[in-house]
Amino acid sequence: MRFIIKEQPYEQVIAAGQYRYERDGRATGAVEHWRLTAVTDGYQFLRVDLDARAAPSGHTYLYHAVVNPDGQVERLKYRLWEQAAGGLQVVGDVVLAETAVTATRTVNGEDSEQVVDLPKGYRFWFPSVAGLHFAGWRGNEPKTAVTLHGQIGGPDTLAVQVVDFEYFMLIADFMEMTAAGKVRSYSPCKLSWGEGHWRIIQRSAENGWPLGMMRDDGLTAVAVQEIWYQNR
């Protein structure tokens, strides 16, 4: 697994795992590794290596998320690059607060910055299975979210977008799926936003962490490894 910021000796590993991406039940070649570690004062780091070098896109995505004691992302560093010589390269940094988000981004050497005002209680997710964990909506806050989105290779590649979204459980009962080598119970939750964008997040009955997902374009993912070293 590759990192933007390497793990330090003071970090304690909470959990780690891997997802396999599939289409029509067949592996695409893309895999997603993730590691969750504990640091000081209730903070956690989530590292994600979404490796699609063996998939048709050939992309690599690296994420480093700082998660606060309330379980929400406060800062996200990310990188995207293509395998081909002279291909797309994106480096970004998103800093989230209660009322504003500041996002800086460099796309093939060109810098840009966004500052977005937000209502209290917004949600944030980023485009990986582990990143979808943070999309869950609770309470009476406005259903407004910040996402990294945009057509890869376009001017909005991994730009910050503010969207209104819906998030709800599809059924009240748990379902079963095979994930990480055994039959697991999960709750299917649907996240939808924009014009036809949606994800079904298959949340573990044990701890709420995604066991997999289904996407609006037919792409799916399933956990093939998952180890929890500490209770969340």
Side-chain angles (χ1 to χ4, degrees), residues 78 92-96 100-107 111-117 146-149 155-162:
Y78 63 89
D93 190 2
V94 182
V95 179
L96 301 108
V101 172
T102 302
T104 57
R105 187 173 53 122
T106 302
V107 181
D111 298 331
S112 63
E113 181 179 88
Q114 297 172 275
V115 180
V116 180
D117 294 329
V146 180
T147 73
L148 295 178
H149 196 58
D156 58 349
T157 295
L158 290 180
V160 162
Q161 295 189 0
V162 179

Side-chain angles (χ1 to χ4, degrees), residues 46-179:
L46 174 64
R47 293 173 171 89
V48 176
D49 177 357
L50 203 174
D51 185 353
R53 288 176 293 178
S57 74
H59 296 151
T60 283
Y61 305 76
L62 298 182
Y63 299 100
H64 183 280
V66 178
V67 183
N68 66 26
D70 294 328
Q72 295 300 311
V73 176
E74 281 194 2
R75 186 171 187 175
L76 179 73
K77 291 180 176 290
Y78 63 89
R79 290 185 62 194
L80 160 69
W81 68 89
E82 295 177 324
Q83 284 294 105
L88 180 68
Q89 296 189 41
V90 184
V91 178
D93 190 2
V94 182
V95 179
L96 301 108
E98 287 191 4
T99 59
V101 172
T102 302
T104 57
R105 187 173 53 122
T106 302
V107 181
N108 285 356
E110 295 188 10
D111 298 331
S112 63
E113 181 179 88
Q114 297 172 275
V115 180
V116 180
D117 294 329
L118 291 173
K120 184 178 180 180
Y122 67 86
R123 291 287 167 174
F124 173 78
W125 69 83
F126 56 92
S128 78
V129 182
L132 288 171
H133 171 70
F134 302 100
W137 176 79
R138 305 177 186 88
N140 297 315
E141 302 97 336
K143 291 188 179 182
T144 302
V146 180
T147 73
L148 295 178
H149 196 58
Q151 180 180 356
I152 300 300
D156 58 349
T157 295
L158 290 180
V160 162
Q161 295 189 0
V162 179
V163 297
D164 294 328
F165 73 99
E166 293 186 352
Y167 179 87
F168 56 90
M169 294 177 59
L170 288 175
I171 62 172
D173 295 329
F174 290 113
M175 302 179 68
E176 290 187 341
M177 64 184 292
T178 299

